[in-house]
Amino acid sequence: MNIVVCVKQVPDTWAEKKLSDSDKTVDREGVEGVMNELDEYAVEEALRIKEASGGEVTVLTMGPEKAVETIRKALSMGADQAVHLVDSGLHGSDALTTSYALAKALETIPHDLVILGVESTDARMSVIPAMLAERTGAAQLTFARKVEVGDGTVKIERQTDTGYDVVEAATPAIVSVVEKINEPRYPSFKGIMAAKKKPLTTLTLGDAGIESEKVGLAGSGSSVAEFSARPPKQAGQVVKDEGDGGSKLAEFLASQKLV
Amino acid sequence: MPVDRVLPTPESRELLALVTDLARNELAPKASAFEERQEFPRDLVRTVGQIGMLGLTYDEEYGGGAQPYEVYLQALEELAWGWGAVALAVSVHTMSCYPLATFGTAEQKQRWLPDMLGGDLLGAYCLSESGSGSDAGSLQTKAHRDGDQYVLNGTKAWVTHGGVADYYVTFCRTSDDAKRGISTLLVPADTAGLHPQPPERKMGLLASPTASILLDNAKVDADRLLGDEGSGLKMALSALDNGRLGIAAVATGIAQAALDAAVEWVKERKQFGVPVAEFQGVSFMLADMATGIEAARSTYLAAARRRDLGQPFGPQASMSKLLATDTAMKVTTDAVQLFGGYGYTTEYPVERYMREVKVMQIFEGTNQIQRMVIGRHLTR
Ligand SMILES: Cc1cc2nc3c(=O)[nH]c(=O)nc-3n(C[C@H](O)[C@H](O)[C@H](O)COP(=O)(O)OP(=O)(O)OC[C@H]3O[C@@H](n4cnc5c(N)ncnc54)[C@H](O)[C@@H]3O)c2cc1C
């Protein structure tokens, strides 16, 4: 089974995230970039499927030049090759246009299965897997906490608030995974060395047949109208328990409209 | 913030990033609890092995990473930042591979080395005995040849990984010749007659088991002799030159962890209405700690670069071990001081760091022995 894993480079989880003043997009230059954490689980799941039943794992990343660091990490974990969709025309793409661009890039890679993390830690929209399924016509199997592949089929346990659903579909399918699914491996030093020799294809808009007016800031249907810095932390309110601590807490929570 | 390092290649930078990530996210959070339970973290050492740390410096031909000591030692330092016992495991294991990798025949290496470097196996290095410490040449454990086997009798003491190792590189007496009486055998852990004793009850490095190994008519195939009969002491001492660089890096990593913890603490802790970091008496202590660590790191790296270039490095290895461990002792003691009473409790890791580095002034040649080596080199 040939698998594509979509992997995104995001600003380091612990770094203070900023929007740039000029075009109100996430500032990716000034901060350390890391592989989106949930994508590590997606890579791990793809590698496990490959190790159990063969096939190839291709990493697909859309992002600036710098995102190649994240591609290399996925390759050093054990993915076979990578495709990097990189073009200044993509800058500022929203979720809908990103899914269009990724769907076009997917057309250039033969595959049976696409695996993604359920969301990225920077935008946290959690919609790309569903949008990709819609655009490619592949089955949508999201929020997987367990994946089993059969002959031309994929079965998942779909995490729900109360338990899980079992969902099965024929390939091609788009699977998004939750962090419960596995424990991602560390790359090995040998993996780091091997990654240097693995094929990495870069695609521009033209290479992937992406119409430039449908992507980027201008092509996006949604835009950031304005933003402001998070207000500084207010001093907390200390509730002294003089026998009525519980009701004082409840009062406070009610006043903040939290209960 | 991880140490800003000078590294020779892009892949060594990636390796260091990987090891730093592992040390900070897998090792450091678990260290205190394992140390308290005196439990050896076998699975974590395996994870460290799987990323390639247990064979990093050896030939690619046998599954090693072919990395220079300059890189290996800095990776080891990062592991020690996270957890001294795990870094020590890597250093001792690496030393245990040295006699086979350096003095073994091609056939012996093909047979055993790939497994030893692969990350799953763990080795031990058995030189010391209860009556023979600094004077390693006086060891008494005997091995006599019986057909195509050696029969071992005696007790090796202070064996790091005693009871958990997969094999024991054992130095033993094959003749009474004062100069050429000691030989090296690669002894599998499941050898009949090899009995690990209960671990020592120690002051620190509690997660790293140290035990005596009783050898009672333990029979080992003669083809497990490494190098020639009688070449054991030379082999033991040259392995130790490498091991001492490892200990220097481990001590430096723990000292760095102590400094980092102290810096964080003094910026938060307020007395007289201000963070104590604002007192010059405190910041001068930090400055001295940081300067000592930088000197220790520079010294072990200078020795490592000599080794990587194929130049003699024995005295420099001794200087590295001496300087790094004495510095680490001072730095960790000062870190406890800067934490005040809190530093004396097990709530914070600094008292543990202090207990851990104490032994580094003792093992792999006490610091008196290091001075002796350096002094002899000067006056020979
Ligand atoms: C936790 C731990 C782990 C260890 N792991 C291992 C291991 O894996 N493998 C192994 O083989 N050994 C190991 N050892 C043993 C260690 O290497 C010895 O303890 C060390 O070499 C010192 O020997 P000793 O304890 O017999 O001290 P001694 O040699 O008895 O020394 C006692 C004191 O005398 C001083 N002294 C001795 N000779 C001289 C001299 N000529 N000039 C000046 N001063 C001198 C010493 O510096 C020391 O202060 C370990 C020890 C410990 C505590």
Side-chain angles (χ1 to χ4, degrees):
Chain A
M1 189 159 285
N2 290 322
I3 306 172
V4 175
V5 191
C6 295
V7 167
K8 184 182 187 185
Q9 186 177 54
V10 297
D12 189 351
T13 327
W14 306 111
E16 197 184 336
K17 284 158 203 123
K18 286 204 191 103
L19 297 185
S20 83
D21 290 325
S22 54
D23 65 5
K24 306 191 177 87
T25 60
V26 177
D27 179 2
R28 298 181 191 280
E29 286 308 312
V31 286
E32 183 93 13
V34 298
M35 185 189 297
N36 178 47
E37 197 183 329
L38 275 159
D39 299 350
E40 292 185 19
Y41 296 79
V43 173
E44 177 66 33
E45 198 57 27
L47 293 175
R48 288 185 188 193
I49 294 170
K50 171 194 146 158
E51 283 157 8
S53 50
E56 290 207 323
V57 175
T58 306
V59 177
L60 170 60
T61 291
M62 168 175 145
E65 255 104 60
K66 198 170 156 231
V68 75
E69 300 157 9
T70 291
I71 292 176
R72 256 210 310 275
K73 173 157 184 196
L75 291 175
S76 56
M77 285 172 78
D80 298 291
Q81 61 217 8
V83 175
H84 186 186
L85 179 57
V86 48
D87 195 301
S88 55
L90 289 163
H91 175 78
S93 296
D94 65 2
L96 207 54
T97 50
T98 298
S99 70
Y100 161 66
L102 285 176
K104 294 302 280 182
L106 277 175
E107 284 175 17
T108 71
I109 316 166
H111 63 272
D112 308 294
L113 198 60
V114 179
I115 306 183
L116 309 86
V118 289
E119 67 173 12
S120 60
T121 54
D122 54 353
R124 315 202 65 161
M125 303 268 292
S126 205
V127 292
I128 294 286
M131 287 176 168
L132 268 184
E134 192 62 26
R135 286 193 186 272
T136 60
Q140 182 192 147
L141 301 173
T142 46
F143 293 90
R145 59 171 221 181
K146 187 170 175 203
V147 179
E148 270 173 61
V149 299
D151 193 15
T153 59
V154 186
K155 187 156 87 176
I156 67 155
E157 287 181 11
R158 183 181 203 274
Q159 181 73 43
T160 67
D161 286 343
T162 48
Y164 65 91
D165 300 327
V166 176
V167 190
E168 189 170 0
T171 56
I174 309 265
V175 173
S176 73
V177 300
V178 297
E179 65 181 13
K180 228 183 235 153
I181 195 161
N182 57 40
E183 187 60 49
R185 70 194 65 187
Y186 279 90
S188 68
F189 183 62
K190 289 216 179 81
I192 289 174
M193 299 299 281
K196 294 182 190 310
K197 300 189 192 104
K198 291 180 177 172
L200 167 62
T201 312
T202 54
L203 295 180
T204 61
L205 293 184
D207 297 336
I210 296 168
E211 295 172 48
S212 59
E213 61 283 1
K214 288 194 182 167
V215 292
L217 264 183
S220 292
S222 65
S223 62
V224 178
E226 60 181 302
F227 67 91
S228 54
R230 185 181 15 199
K233 248 198 204 159
Q234 303 293 315
Q237 183 183 325
V238 179
V239 175
K240 258 222 182 95
D241 185 14
E242 286 156 347
D244 56 352
S247 47
K248 275 189 182 158
L249 278 180
E251 258 167 48
F252 171 79
L253 291 173
S255 75
Q256 300 294 311
K257 302 203 165 51
L258 291 169
V259 290
Chain B
M1 276 296 281
V3 176
D4 184 9
R5 297 180 182 282
V6 179
L7 289 158
T9 55
E11 60 265 22
S12 61
R13 282 192 282 281
E14 280 179 61
L15 172 71
L16 259 288
L18 168 64
V19 170
T20 305
D21 178 21
L22 183 90
R24 280 161 203 252
N25 298 315
E26 297 284 334
L27 302 186
K30 298 184 178 129
S32 286
F34 273 77
E35 290 287 335
E36 203 172 312
R37 292 199 302 273
Q38 314 208 1
E39 181 182 339
F40 182 60
R42 187 64 187 92
D43 287 342
L44 281 170
V45 171
R46 205 165 266 126
T47 303
V48 168
Q50 273 153 8
I51 71 172
M53 278 303 295
L54 291 180
L56 197 66
T57 63
Y58 293 105
D59 283 357
E60 269 174 329
E61 189 188 343
Y62 299 106
Q67 285 301 291
Y69 254 58
E70 173 186 9
V71 172
Y72 159 67
L73 294 178
Q74 299 200 67
L76 199 55
E77 193 197 314
E78 286 297 342
L79 287 180
W81 189 99
W83 190 349
V86 172
L88 178 70
V90 173
S91 183
V92 169
H93 174 85
T94 300
M95 184 165 70
S96 79
C97 298
Y98 181 84
L100 173 61
T102 313
F103 302 97
T105 63
E107 197 199 325
Q108 286 177 318
K109 288 196 265 192
Q110 270 149 19
R111 220 166 122 196
W112 297 305
L113 202 51
D115 284 342
M116 285 160 65
L117 303 182
D120 271 341
L121 297 191
L122 190 66
Y125 174 93
C126 313
L127 179 63
S128 305
E129 295 177 1
S130 60
S132 140
S134 299
D135 182 12
S138 67
L139 65 85
Q140 290 303 324
T141 294
K142 296 232 166 12
H144 76 263
R145 184 76 185 247
D146 180 13
D148 49 10
Q149 289 191 313
Y150 283 99
V151 183
L152 280 76
N153 280 291
T155 303
K156 304 308 288 187
W158 306 111
V159 177
T160 297
H161 302 155
V164 301
D166 298 293
Y167 61 87
Y168 296 86
V169 171
T170 305
F171 298 93
C172 43
R173 188 160 288 289
T174 42
S175 87
D176 290 331
D177 188 305
K179 285 230 165 72
R180 297 191 49 86
I182 294 173
S183 302
T184 314
L185 286 162
L186 179 60
V187 184
D190 60 4
T191 301
L194 182 153
H195 306 289
Q197 302 299 296
E200 305 294 341
R201 295 149 62 100
K202 308 197 298 288
M203 170 176 171
L205 289 175
L206 305 178
S208 169
T210 315
S212 287
I213 303 292
L214 170 65
L215 297 157
D216 178 16
N217 281 320
K219 295 195 179 73
V220 178
D221 291 340
D223 61 5
R224 288 180 168 269
L225 175 75
L226 303 177
D228 299 331
E229 233 184 53
S231 67
L233 190 60
K234 208 181 92 209
M235 212 182 285
L237 297 181
S238 69
L240 276 172
D241 281 343
N242 295 282
R244 283 164 186 167
L245 289 177
I247 298 306
V250 173
T252 304
I254 297 176
Q256 183 70 51
L259 172 63
D260 292 351
V263 167
E264 225 171 273
W265 178 265
V266 299
K267 290 201 298 198
E268 291 287 320
R269 175 70 178 169
K270 285 194 174 130
Q271 288 295 285
F272 304 98
V274 294
V276 296
E278 290 186 19
F279 301 118
Q280 195 182 57
V282 166
S283 85
F284 275 22
M285 278 176 77
L286 292 176
D288 286 346
M289 291 156 80
T291 304
I293 291 169
E294 193 66 28
R297 183 177 296 126
S298 304
T299 304
Y300 84 61
L301 281 174
R305 289 179 183 127
R306 290 182 66 90
R307 184 192 188 282
D308 293 335
L309 289 170
Q311 293 176 6
F313 66 98
Q316 288 81 3
S318 285
M319 291 174 192
S320 302
K321 196 264 187 188
L322 170 62
L323 178 65
T325 59
D326 280 358
T327 300
M329 195 66 244
K330 172 144 181 32
V331 167
T332 53
T333 306
D334 285 350
V336 171
Q337 189 70 17
L338 288 172
F339 267 72
Y342 299 90
Y344 198 66
T345 70
T346 54
E347 192 78 5
Y348 297 94
V350 285
E351 61 81 32
R352 172 162 65 81
Y353 296 150
M354 186 176 163
R355 287 185 286 109
E356 287 173 349
V357 297
K358 178 63 227 178
V359 74
M360 300 183 187
Q361 296 177 302
I362 297 171
F363 59 28
E364 301 207 9
T366 66
N367 283 4
Q368 286 71 34
I369 294 300
Q370 307 306 330
R371 288 181 173 90
M372 197 177 86
V373 170
I374 299 162
R376 269 195 196 152
H377 178 74
L378 292 170
T379 56
R380 72 178 171 189

